[in-house]
Amino acid sequence: MKIMVAIKRVIDYAVKIRVKPDKSGVETSNVKMSMNPFCEIALEEALRIKESGGASEVVAVSMGPAQCVDTLRTGLAMGADRAIHVDYPGSLYPLSIAKILKALVEAEKPSLLLLGKQAIDDDCNQTGQMVAGLLKWPQGTFASKVVLDEEKQVATVDREVDGGLETVCLELPAVITTDLRLNQPRYATLPNIMKAKSKVIKKVTPQDLNVEIRSDLEVVQVTEPPKRKAGVIVSSIDELIDKLKNEAHVI
Amino acid sequence: MAIRAMLAVSRNRSLATAVLSRYRFISTLVLAEHEGGSIKASSLSAVEATKSLGEDNSVSILLAGSGPSLREAAQAASCHPYVSQVLLADSDKFTYPLAEPWAKLLHVVHKKGNYSHIVTASDSFGKNILPRAAALLDVSPITDVIEVSGSHLFVRPIYAGNALSTIQYTGSDPCMLTIRSTSFPVASMSAHSKSIAAAIEQVDLSTFSEDDAVGKSKFVKLSSQDTERPDLGNARIVVTGGRGLKSAENFKMIEKLAEKLGAAVGATRAAVDAGFVPNELQVGQTGKIVAPELYMAFGVSGAIQHLAGIRDSKVIVAINKDADAPIFQVADYGIVGDLFEVIPELLEKLPEKK
């Protein structure tokens, strides 16, 4: 069985982002970029399935500008067998990504497509659901536990939903998106980083895959959220209770 | 208005298109969830959000499931003042909120009704289903909308709420949205229920094909935490504990305090990962987004991922022994002190809830 994992290069989660003065977006030049944390979890899960004998190959894929190769290289250093980079310099929305992923799935024929539940830059939480819809595959979103049964060709997925945990059983092939608690991703070791340099990253373009990139969304402006006005430090519980009661009127 | 639009054509074609599209007929489909015979609060927020899409908006509400509670929910929905039609999909395919049949249902219902907008709440139900349905209809969905600025102009947070993005939808119908419930508060409904109930119509499921993904997923079980406290997403007061609580045993103090205030209990990711509480209590970018009147944070440092989930709270109170903790930058009232001393004192001095 082959597993495909989609990986996105985003601004590192620890960076405090800055909105550009012209309101066209967020400052991304000279900012530390990393693999989206949810994608790391997806890749880790694929690697664990492979290590337990459940998969023969893990293919990492990423779409975007040339620098995505660095992110794929990190994925290879974690343990992915090979990678595919879909080279596209412009901005891509989830619908286009889902179409590209569909084309890659049709070419590579994996039994499982793993993605993070959302990217921490656009916070969309759409791509996995959309590619599952396009492929007509079942989906297991927000997964916190994945159990594969190779004989029956099913995946049992625990999903983090608002009311608690929902368990669903999916026929393979399927799409699974990962939540934070699924696993703790590993660090790439130095020998593996060296080894990753000789692994193959295949480069393709959306045209090669016969995917037309069009967008039905336009970002009008990006602004900073309104600031909360500065608060006060109170010195005692009595003062706090008094303020909550008589100033804020919330208790 | 038509004359004005035609005049504009002679002057400026693009302006004319803008004017025409602004006044184009709006019809909205709201995908709603129901429970125990009534519409869920988050779905009512989705109905509330449709009001901002434009005047003369005819709102249809789609309910699916089976059994008598579905009928009851439909009756309740038909009395909602904004709702002009209730669509009912009665089939055991919709007993559980599986994305495959529900997304297909949205697809089938849209093909018949040609809605300009399809809206649902940005909860785990809506986020699971709506993007899948959008892909089936070949349009880009817009998730987690916090403000509707026009029929095709929306504001949504990006980068964990550290920036706001204004997005224009330029694609074909339907424009598909999930809305953040806390940004569209629902006014008390009892006051203005209408005298003439909206029509309730059965969805024709004869075109509902079994050939694609429907049937490839099965519901196994839902393990939920039974709690008598108010729901975290809708509570008026939320009391949250972080890593500073140090243990699950100590977290009980937070629960006691919540009980006294009639509040919901929340937690940071650190507290969840340390095993103090189950993960459905997590508040933040990857957990629940809350906007209560009062948010009290105990032993919470205030990481940006957590702040993203509480930013819209009316009053934020922070109790932390580290005076430099980032939480104090967003708190309206702060106490620098040991929560193990503060909580017992609060328990003692807080007035009994009404």
Coordinates of all heavy atoms in Angstrom, one line a residue, chain A residues 38 99 117 121-124 126 129-130 132 136-139 141 159 162-163 165 167-169 171 180-181 214 216 218 220-223 225 228 231-234 237-238 243 247, chain B residues 99-100 123-124 127-128 131-132 138 140-141 143 156 159-160 162 164 166 168 170 216-218 220-221 223-224 269 272 279 282 285-286 311 313-314 330-334 342 345 349:
Chain A
F38 N 0.4 20.8 11.3 CA -0.6 19.7 11.1 C -0.1 18.7 10.0 O -0.4 17.6 10.0 CB -1.9 20.2 10.7 CG -2.6 20.9 11.8 CD1 -2.6 22.3 11.9 CD2 -3.3 20.2 12.8 CE1 -3.3 23.0 12.9 CE2 -3.9 20.8 13.9 CZ -3.9 22.2 13.9
K99 N -7.6 20.1 -6.7 CA -7.6 19.6 -8.1 C -6.2 19.0 -8.4 O -6.1 18.0 -9.1 CB -8.0 20.7 -9.1 CG -9.5 21.0 -9.0 CD -9.9 22.1 -9.9 CE -11.4 22.3 -9.9 NZ -11.8 23.5 -10.6
K117 N -5.2 19.0 9.2 CA -6.6 19.5 9.2 C -6.7 20.9 8.7 O -7.7 21.3 8.1 CB -7.3 19.3 10.5 CG -7.0 20.4 11.5 CD -8.1 20.4 12.7 CE -7.7 21.4 13.7 NZ -8.7 21.5 14.8
D121 N -1.6 29.3 8.2 CA -1.5 30.7 7.6 C -2.9 31.1 7.1 O -3.4 32.1 7.6 CB -0.5 30.8 6.4 CG -0.7 29.7 5.4 OD1 -1.6 28.8 5.5 OD2 0.2 29.6 4.4
D122 N -3.6 30.3 6.2 CA -4.9 30.8 5.8 C -6.0 30.2 6.7 O -7.2 30.7 6.6 CB -5.2 30.4 4.4 CG -5.1 28.9 4.1 OD1 -5.3 28.1 5.0 OD2 -4.8 28.6 2.9
D123 N -5.7 29.3 7.6 CA -6.7 28.7 8.5 C -8.0 28.3 7.9 O -9.0 28.3 8.4 CB -7.0 29.7 9.7 CG -5.9 29.9 10.7 OD1 -5.1 28.9 10.8 OD2 -5.8 31.0 11.3
C124 N -7.8 27.7 6.6 CA -9.0 27.4 5.8 C -9.8 26.2 6.3 O -11.0 26.1 6.4 CB -8.7 27.3 4.4 SG -8.7 28.8 3.5
Q126 N -10.1 23.2 4.5 CA -10.9 22.8 3.4 C -10.3 21.8 2.5 O -11.1 20.9 2.0 CB -11.2 24.1 2.5 CG -11.8 25.2 3.2 CD -11.8 26.5 2.4 OE1 -11.2 26.6 1.3 NE2 -12.5 27.5 2.8
Q129 N -11.2 17.9 2.7 CA -12.6 17.6 2.4 C -12.8 17.8 0.9 O -13.6 17.0 0.3 CB -13.5 18.6 3.2 CG -13.5 18.5 4.7 CD -12.4 19.4 5.3 OE1 -11.3 19.3 5.0 NE2 -12.8 20.2 6.3
M130 N -12.2 18.8 0.3 CA -12.5 19.1 -1.1 C -11.9 18.0 -2.0 O -12.5 17.5 -2.9 CB -11.9 20.4 -1.5 CG -12.6 21.6 -0.7 SD -12.1 23.2 -1.2 CE -13.1 23.5 -2.6
A132 N -11.3 14.9 -1.2 CA -12.1 13.7 -0.9 C -13.4 13.8 -1.8 O -13.8 12.8 -2.4 CB -12.5 13.6 0.5
K136 N -14.3 11.3 -4.9 CA -15.4 10.5 -4.4 C -14.9 9.4 -3.4 O -15.3 8.3 -3.4 CB -16.1 9.8 -5.6 CG -16.8 10.8 -6.6 CD -17.5 10.1 -7.6 CE -18.4 10.9 -8.5 NZ -17.9 12.2 -9.0
W137 N -13.9 9.8 -2.6 CA -13.4 8.9 -1.6 C -14.1 9.4 -0.2 O -14.4 10.5 -0.1 CB -11.9 9.1 -1.4 CG -11.1 8.5 -2.5 CD1 -11.5 7.9 -3.6 CD2 -9.7 8.4 -2.5 NE1 -10.5 7.4 -4.4 CE2 -9.3 7.7 -3.7 CE3 -8.6 8.7 -1.6 CZ2 -8.0 7.4 -4.0 CZ3 -7.3 8.5 -1.9 CH2 -7.0 7.8 -3.1
P138 N -14.2 8.4 0.7 CA -14.7 8.8 2.0 C -13.6 9.6 2.8 O -12.4 9.5 2.4 CB -15.0 7.5 2.7 CG -14.1 6.5 2.0 CD -13.9 7.0 0.6
Q139 N -14.0 10.4 3.7 CA -13.1 11.3 4.4 C -13.2 11.1 6.0 O -14.3 10.9 6.5 CB -13.4 12.8 4.1 CG -14.7 13.3 4.7 CD -15.0 14.7 4.2 OE1 -15.0 14.9 2.9 NE2 -15.4 15.6 5.1
T141 N -12.0 13.4 8.8 CA -11.4 14.7 9.2 C -11.1 14.8 10.7 O -11.8 14.2 11.5 CB -12.2 15.9 8.7 OG1 -13.6 15.7 9.2 CG2 -12.3 16.0 7.2
R159 N -12.5 10.8 15.4 CA -12.5 12.2 15.0 C -12.8 13.1 16.2 O -13.7 12.8 16.9 CB -13.5 12.5 13.9 CG -13.4 11.5 12.7 CD -14.6 11.9 11.7 NE -14.6 13.3 11.4 CZ -15.6 14.1 11.5 NH1 -16.8 13.6 11.9 NH2 -15.5 15.3 11.2
D162 N -17.2 18.5 18.1 CA -17.5 19.4 19.2 C -18.0 18.7 20.4 O -17.7 19.1 21.5 CB -18.6 20.4 18.7 CG -18.0 21.4 17.7 OD1 -16.8 21.5 17.7 OD2 -18.8 21.9 16.9
G163 N -18.8 17.6 20.2 CA -19.3 17.0 21.4 C -18.4 15.9 22.1 O -18.8 15.3 23.0
L165 N -15.6 12.6 20.9 CA -14.9 11.9 19.9 C -15.9 11.0 19.1 O -16.7 10.3 19.7 CB -13.9 10.9 20.6 CG -12.5 11.4 20.9 CD1 -11.7 10.2 21.4 CD2 -11.8 12.1 19.7
T167 N -16.3 8.1 16.2 CA -15.5 7.0 15.5 C -16.3 6.7 14.2 O -17.5 6.5 14.2 CB -15.4 5.8 16.4 OG1 -14.9 6.1 17.6 CG2 -14.5 4.8 15.7
V168 N -15.5 6.7 13.1 CA -16.1 6.3 11.8 C -15.2 5.3 11.2 O -14.0 5.1 11.5 CB -16.2 7.5 10.8 CG1 -17.3 8.5 11.3 CG2 -14.9 8.2 10.6
C169 N -15.8 4.5 10.3 CA -15.1 3.4 9.6 C -15.2 3.7 8.1 O -16.3 3.9 7.6 CB -15.8 2.1 9.9 SG -14.9 0.7 9.3
E171 N -14.1 3.0 4.0 CA -13.5 2.0 3.0 C -12.3 2.7 2.4 O -12.3 3.9 2.0 CB -14.5 1.8 1.9 CG -15.5 0.7 2.1 CD -16.5 0.6 1.0 OE1 -16.2 0.8 -0.2 OE2 -17.7 0.3 1.4
L180 N -4.3 17.8 16.1 CA -3.0 17.9 16.9 C -2.7 16.7 17.7 O -1.5 16.4 17.9 CB -3.2 19.1 17.8 CG -2.8 20.5 17.3 CD1 -3.1 21.5 18.3 CD2 -1.3 20.5 16.9
R181 N -3.7 16.0 18.2 CA -3.4 15.0 19.2 C -3.1 13.6 18.6 O -2.9 12.6 19.3 CB -4.5 14.8 20.2 CG -4.2 15.5 21.5 CD -5.5 15.7 22.3 NE -6.3 16.7 21.5 CZ -6.2 18.0 21.6 NH1 -5.4 18.5 22.4 NH2 -6.9 18.8 20.9
R214 N -7.6 28.4 -11.7 CA -8.3 29.7 -11.8 C -8.8 30.0 -10.4 O -8.9 29.1 -9.5 CB -9.5 29.5 -12.8 CG -10.5 28.5 -12.4 CD -11.7 28.4 -13.3 NE -12.5 27.2 -12.9 CZ -13.4 27.2 -12.0 NH1 -13.6 28.3 -11.2 NH2 -14.1 26.1 -11.7
D216 N -11.7 32.0 -7.9 CA -12.9 32.7 -7.8 C -12.9 33.5 -6.5 O -14.0 33.9 -6.0 CB -14.1 31.8 -7.9 CG -13.9 30.5 -7.1 OD1 -13.0 30.4 -6.3 OD2 -14.8 29.6 -7.2
E218 N -10.8 36.8 -4.3 CA -9.9 37.9 -4.5 C -9.7 38.5 -3.1 O -10.7 38.9 -2.4 CB -10.6 38.9 -5.4 CG -9.6 39.9 -6.0 CD -10.4 40.9 -6.9 OE1 -11.0 40.4 -7.9 OE2 -10.5 42.0 -6.6
V220 N -9.2 41.4 -1.0 CA -9.4 42.9 -1.1 C -8.3 43.6 -0.2 O -7.6 44.5 -0.7 CB -10.8 43.3 -0.7 CG1 -10.9 44.8 -0.9 CG2 -11.8 42.6 -1.6
Q221 N -8.2 43.2 1.0 CA -7.2 43.8 1.9 C -7.0 42.9 3.1 O -7.8 42.0 3.4 CB -7.7 45.2 2.4 CG -8.9 45.1 3.2 CD -9.2 46.5 3.9 OE1 -8.6 47.5 3.6 NE2 -10.0 46.4 4.9
V222 N -5.8 43.0 3.7 CA -5.5 42.3 4.9 C -5.1 43.4 6.0 O -4.3 44.3 5.7 CB -4.3 41.4 4.7 CG1 -3.8 40.8 6.0 CG2 -4.7 40.3 3.7
T223 N -5.8 43.3 7.1 CA -5.6 44.4 8.1 C -5.3 43.7 9.5 O -5.4 42.5 9.6 CB -6.9 45.2 8.3 OG1 -8.0 44.3 8.6 CG2 -7.2 46.0 7.1
P225 N -6.1 43.0 13.4 CA -7.3 43.0 14.1 C -7.4 44.2 15.1 O -6.3 44.7 15.5 CB -7.3 41.7 14.9 CG -5.8 41.3 14.9 CD -5.2 41.9 13.7
R228 N -7.3 45.3 21.6 CA -8.1 45.5 22.9 C -7.5 46.6 23.6 O -6.3 46.8 23.7 CB -8.1 44.2 23.7 CG -8.8 43.0 23.0 CD -8.8 41.9 24.0 NE -9.7 42.1 25.1 CZ -11.0 41.7 25.2 NH1 -11.5 41.0 24.2 NH2 -11.7 41.9 26.2
G231 N -5.7 47.0 29.8 CA -6.5 46.7 31.0 C -5.7 47.2 32.2 O -4.8 47.9 32.2
V232 N -6.3 46.8 33.4 CA -5.6 47.3 34.6 C -5.3 46.0 35.5 O -5.9 45.0 35.4 CB -6.6 48.2 35.5 CG1 -6.7 49.5 34.8 CG2 -7.9 47.5 35.7
I233 N -4.2 46.2 36.2 CA -3.8 45.1 37.2 C -4.5 45.5 38.5 O -4.2 46.7 39.0 CB -2.3 45.1 37.3 CG1 -1.6 44.6 36.0 CG2 -1.9 44.1 38.5 CD1 -1.9 43.2 35.6
V234 N -5.3 44.7 39.1 CA -5.9 45.0 40.3 C -5.1 44.3 41.5 O -4.4 43.4 41.2 CB -7.4 44.6 40.4 CG1 -8.2 45.3 39.4 CG2 -7.5 43.1 40.2
I237 N -8.6 40.5 45.5 CA -9.8 39.8 45.0 C -11.0 40.7 45.2 O -11.9 40.8 44.3 CB -10.0 38.5 45.8 CG1 -8.7 37.7 45.6 CG2 -11.2 37.8 45.3 CD1 -8.5 37.1 44.3
D238 N -11.0 41.4 46.3 CA -12.2 42.3 46.6 C -12.3 43.3 45.4 O -13.4 43.6 45.0 CB -12.0 43.0 47.9 CG -12.1 42.0 49.0 OD1 -13.0 41.1 49.0 OD2 -11.2 42.0 49.9
K243 N -15.0 45.3 40.6 CA -14.9 45.8 39.2 C -15.8 45.0 38.3 O -16.5 45.5 37.4 CB -13.5 45.8 38.7 CG -12.6 46.8 39.4 CD -11.6 47.4 38.4 CE -10.6 48.4 39.0 NZ -11.0 49.8 38.9
E247 N -18.3 47.7 37.5 CA -17.8 48.4 36.3 C -18.1 47.7 35.0 O -18.6 48.3 34.1 CB -16.2 48.5 36.5 CG -15.6 49.6 35.6 CD -14.1 49.7 35.9 OE1 -13.7 50.5 36.8 OE2 -13.3 49.0 35.2
Chain B
A99 N -20.0 13.1 6.3 CA -19.8 14.1 5.3 C -20.3 13.6 3.9 O -20.8 14.4 3.1 CB -18.3 14.5 5.2
E100 N -20.1 12.3 3.6 CA -20.3 11.8 2.3 C -21.8 12.0 1.8 O -22.1 12.6 0.8 CB -19.8 10.4 2.1 CG -18.3 10.2 2.3 CD -17.9 10.3 3.8 OE1 -18.8 10.2 4.7 OE2 -16.7 10.4 4.0
D123 N -18.7 25.0 12.8 CA -18.4 24.0 13.8 C -17.9 22.7 13.2 O -17.8 22.7 12.0 CB -19.7 23.8 14.7 CG -20.9 23.5 13.9 OD1 -20.8 23.2 12.7 OD2 -22.0 23.7 14.4
S124 N -17.7 21.7 14.0 CA -17.1 20.5 13.4 C -18.0 19.9 12.3 O -17.6 19.3 11.4 CB -16.7 19.5 14.5 OG -17.8 19.1 15.2
K127 N -17.7 22.4 9.1 CA -16.4 22.4 8.5 C -16.1 21.1 7.8 O -15.3 21.0 6.9 CB -15.3 22.6 9.6 CG -15.2 24.0 10.1 CD -13.9 24.2 10.9 CE -14.2 24.8 12.2 NZ -13.1 24.8 13.1
N128 N -16.7 20.0 8.3 CA -16.5 18.7 7.7 C -17.3 18.6 6.4 O -16.8 18.0 5.4 CB -17.1 17.6 8.7 CG -16.7 16.2 8.3 OD1 -15.6 16.0 7.7 ND2 -17.6 15.3 8.5
P131 N -17.0 22.2 2.8 CA -15.9 22.2 1.7 C -16.1 21.0 0.7 O -15.8 21.2 -0.4 CB -14.6 22.1 2.5 CG -15.0 22.6 3.9 CD -16.4 22.2 4.1
R132 N -16.5 19.9 1.3 CA -16.7 18.7 0.4 C -17.8 19.1 -0.7 O -17.7 18.8 -1.9 CB -17.1 17.5 1.2 CG -17.2 16.3 0.3 CD -17.5 15.0 1.1 NE -17.6 13.9 0.3 CZ -16.7 12.9 0.2 NH1 -15.7 12.9 0.9 NH2 -16.9 11.9 -0.7
D138 N -17.9 22.7 -7.6 CA -16.7 23.4 -8.2 C -16.7 24.9 -7.9 O -16.5 25.7 -8.8 CB -16.8 23.2 -9.8 CG -15.5 23.5 -10.4 OD1 -14.4 23.5 -9.7 OD2 -15.5 23.9 -11.6
S140 N -15.1 27.8 -4.7 CA -14.3 27.9 -3.5 C -15.1 28.3 -2.3 O -15.9 29.3 -2.4 CB -13.2 29.0 -3.7 OG -12.2 28.5 -4.5
P141 N -15.1 27.6 -1.2 CA -15.8 28.0 0.0 C -15.0 29.0 0.7 O -13.8 29.2 0.6 CB -15.9 26.7 0.8 CG -14.7 25.9 0.4 CD -14.4 26.3 -1.0
T143 N -14.5 29.9 4.6 CA -14.7 29.4 6.0 C -14.5 30.4 7.1 O -13.6 31.3 6.9 CB -13.9 28.1 6.2 OG1 -12.6 28.3 5.7 CG2 -14.6 26.9 5.6
R156 N -12.6 37.4 7.2 CA -12.3 36.2 8.0 C -10.9 36.3 8.6 O -10.0 37.0 8.0 CB -12.4 34.9 7.1 CG -11.5 34.9 5.9 CD -11.7 33.6 5.1 NE -11.5 32.4 5.9 CZ -10.3 31.8 6.1 NH1 -9.2 32.3 5.5 NH2 -10.2 30.8 6.8
Y159 N -4.0 33.6 10.1 CA -2.8 33.5 11.0 C -3.3 33.6 12.4 O -2.9 34.5 13.2 CB -1.9 34.7 10.7 CG -1.1 34.5 9.4 CD1 -1.6 35.1 8.2 CD2 0.0 33.7 9.3 CE1 -0.9 35.0 7.1 CE2 0.7 33.6 8.1 CZ 0.2 34.2 7.0 OH 0.9 34.0 5.8
A160 N -4.1 32.6 12.8 CA -4.6 32.5 14.2 C -5.2 33.8 14.7 O -5.1 34.1 15.9 CB -3.5 32.0 15.1
N162 N -4.4 36.8 14.0 CA -3.5 37.9 14.0 C -3.6 38.8 12.9 O -2.9 39.9 12.8 CB -2.0 37.4 14.2 CG -1.8 36.8 15.6 OD1 -1.9 37.5 16.5 ND2 -1.5 35.5 15.6
L164 N -6.8 40.1 9.7 CA -8.1 39.9 9.2 C -8.0 40.1 7.7 O -7.5 41.1 7.2 CB -9.1 40.9 9.8 CG -9.3 40.9 11.3 CD1 -10.2 42.0 11.7 CD2 -9.8 39.5 11.7
T166 N -10.1 40.5 4.1 CA -11.4 40.8 3.4 C -11.3 40.2 2.1 O -10.4 40.4 1.3 CB -11.6 42.3 3.3 OG1 -11.4 42.9 4.6 CG2 -12.9 42.7 2.7
Q168 N -13.3 39.0 -1.5 CA -14.4 39.2 -2.5 C -14.6 37.8 -3.2 O -13.7 37.3 -3.7 CB -14.1 40.3 -3.5 CG -15.0 40.4 -4.6 CD -15.9 41.7 -4.5 OE1 -15.3 42.7 -4.2 NE2 -17.1 41.5 -4.8
T170 N -15.8 36.1 -6.4 CA -16.0 36.5 -7.8 C -16.5 35.3 -8.6 O -16.7 35.5 -9.8 CB -14.7 37.1 -8.4 OG1 -13.7 36.0 -8.3 CG2 -14.3 38.3 -7.7
K216 N -19.6 4.6 1.6 CA -18.2 4.1 1.9 C -17.7 4.5 3.3 O -16.6 4.2 3.7 CB -17.2 4.8 0.9 CG -17.4 4.2 -0.5 CD -16.3 4.8 -1.4 CE -16.5 4.4 -2.9 NZ -15.7 5.2 -3.8
S217 N -18.5 5.2 4.0 CA -18.2 5.5 5.4 C -19.3 5.1 6.3 O -20.5 5.2 6.0 CB -18.0 7.1 5.6 OG -19.1 7.7 5.3
K218 N -18.9 4.7 7.5 CA -20.0 4.2 8.5 C -19.7 4.9 9.8 O -18.5 5.0 10.3 CB -19.9 2.7 8.6 CG -20.7 2.0 7.5 CD -20.7 0.5 7.6 CE -21.3 -0.1 6.4 NZ -20.5 0.3 5.2
V220 N -19.6 4.7 13.7 CA -19.4 3.6 14.7 C -19.9 4.1 16.0 O -20.8 3.4 16.6 CB -17.9 3.2 14.8 CG1 -17.8 2.1 15.8 CG2 -17.4 2.8 13.4
K221 N -19.4 5.2 16.6 CA -19.9 5.6 17.9 C -19.5 7.1 18.1 O -18.6 7.6 17.5 CB -19.4 4.7 19.0 CG -17.9 4.8 19.2 CD -17.5 4.0 20.4 CE -16.1 4.3 20.8 NZ -15.1 3.3 20.8
S223 N -18.4 9.2 21.5 CA -18.2 9.2 23.0 C -18.1 10.6 23.4 O -17.2 11.3 23.0 CB -16.9 8.4 23.3 OG -15.9 8.5 22.3
S224 N -19.1 11.0 24.2 CA -19.1 12.4 24.6 C -19.0 12.5 26.1 O -19.3 11.5 26.8 CB -20.4 13.0 24.1 OG -21.5 12.3 24.7
R269 N -4.2 24.2 25.5 CA -3.7 23.0 24.9 C -2.7 22.3 25.8 O -2.7 21.1 26.0 CB -2.9 23.3 23.6 CG -2.2 22.1 23.0 CD -2.1 22.0 21.5 NE -1.7 20.7 21.2 CZ -0.6 20.4 20.6 NH1 0.2 21.3 20.2 NH2 -0.3 19.1 20.4
V272 N -4.6 20.3 28.3 CA -5.2 19.1 27.6 C -4.1 18.1 27.4 O -4.2 16.9 27.7 CB -5.8 19.5 26.3 CG1 -6.2 18.2 25.5 CG2 -7.1 20.3 26.6
N279 N -9.9 16.7 25.6 CA -9.6 17.7 24.6 C -10.7 18.6 24.1 O -10.5 19.6 23.5 CB -8.8 17.1 23.4 CG -9.6 16.0 22.8 OD1 -10.8 16.1 22.7 ND2 -8.9 15.0 22.3
Q282 N -10.6 22.2 25.0 CA -9.6 23.1 24.5 C -10.1 24.4 23.8 O -11.0 24.3 22.9 CB -8.6 22.4 23.6 CG -7.4 23.2 23.2 CD -6.6 22.5 22.2 OE1 -6.4 21.3 22.1 NE2 -6.0 23.4 21.3
Q285 N -7.0 28.3 18.6 CA -7.1 28.2 17.2 C -7.5 26.8 16.7 O -8.2 26.6 15.8 CB -5.7 28.6 16.6 CG -5.7 28.6 15.1 CD -4.2 28.7 14.6 OE1 -3.3 28.5 15.3 NE2 -4.1 29.0 13.3
T286 N -6.9 25.8 17.4 CA -7.2 24.4 17.0 C -8.3 23.8 17.9 O -8.7 22.7 17.7 CB -6.0 23.6 17.1 OG1 -5.5 23.6 18.4 CG2 -5.0 24.0 16.1
R311 N -10.2 36.2 21.7 CA -10.1 37.6 21.4 C -11.4 38.4 21.4 O -11.4 39.6 21.8 CB -9.5 37.6 19.9 CG -8.9 38.9 19.5 CD -8.3 38.7 18.1 NE -7.2 37.9 18.1 CZ -5.9 38.3 18.3 NH1 -5.7 39.6 18.6 NH2 -4.9 37.5 18.3
S313 N -13.9 37.9 23.4 CA -14.6 37.9 24.7 C -14.8 39.4 25.2 O -14.0 40.3 24.9 CB -13.8 37.2 25.8 OG -13.5 35.9 25.3
K314 N -16.0 39.7 25.9 CA -16.2 41.0 26.2 C -15.3 41.5 27.3 O -14.6 42.5 27.2 CB -17.7 41.1 26.7 CG -18.2 42.6 26.7 CD -19.7 42.6 26.9 CE -20.0 43.8 27.8 NZ -21.0 43.5 28.8
V330 N -3.9 41.4 26.9 CA -5.2 41.4 26.4 C -6.3 41.4 27.5 O -7.5 41.6 27.2 CB -5.5 40.2 25.4 CG1 -4.6 40.1 24.3 CG2 -5.5 38.9 26.2
A331 N -5.8 41.3 28.7 CA -6.8 41.2 29.8 C -7.3 42.6 30.2 O -6.5 43.5 30.2 CB -6.1 40.5 31.0
D332 N -8.6 42.6 30.5 CA -9.1 43.9 31.0 C -8.8 44.1 32.5 O -8.5 45.2 32.9 CB -10.6 43.9 30.9 CG -11.0 43.7 29.4 OD1 -11.1 44.7 28.7 OD2 -11.3 42.6 29.0
Y333 N -8.8 43.0 33.2 CA -8.4 43.0 34.6 C -7.4 41.9 34.9 O -7.6 40.8 34.4 CB -9.6 42.8 35.6 CG -10.7 43.8 35.3 CD1 -12.0 43.4 34.8 CD2 -10.6 45.2 35.6 CE1 -13.0 44.3 34.5 CE2 -11.6 46.1 35.4 CZ -12.8 45.6 34.8 OH -13.8 46.5 34.5
G334 N -6.4 42.2 35.6 CA -5.4 41.2 35.8 C -5.0 41.1 37.3 O -5.1 42.2 38.0
V342 N -5.5 32.5 45.0 CA -6.6 33.4 44.4 C -7.9 32.6 44.3 O -9.0 33.1 44.7 CB -6.2 33.9 43.1 CG1 -7.3 34.6 42.4 CG2 -5.0 34.9 43.2
E345 N -9.9 32.1 47.5 CA -10.5 33.4 48.0 C -11.7 33.8 47.1 O -12.7 34.3 47.6 CB -9.4 34.4 47.9 CG -9.7 35.6 48.8 CD -8.6 36.7 48.8 OE1 -7.5 36.4 48.5 OE2 -8.9 37.9 49.1
K349 N -15.4 34.5 48.2 CA -16.0 35.9 48.2 C -17.0 36.2 47.0 O -17.7 37.2 47.1 CB -14.9 36.9 48.1 CG -14.1 37.0 49.4 CD -13.0 38.0 49.3 CE -12.3 38.2 50.6 NZ -11.1 38.9 50.5

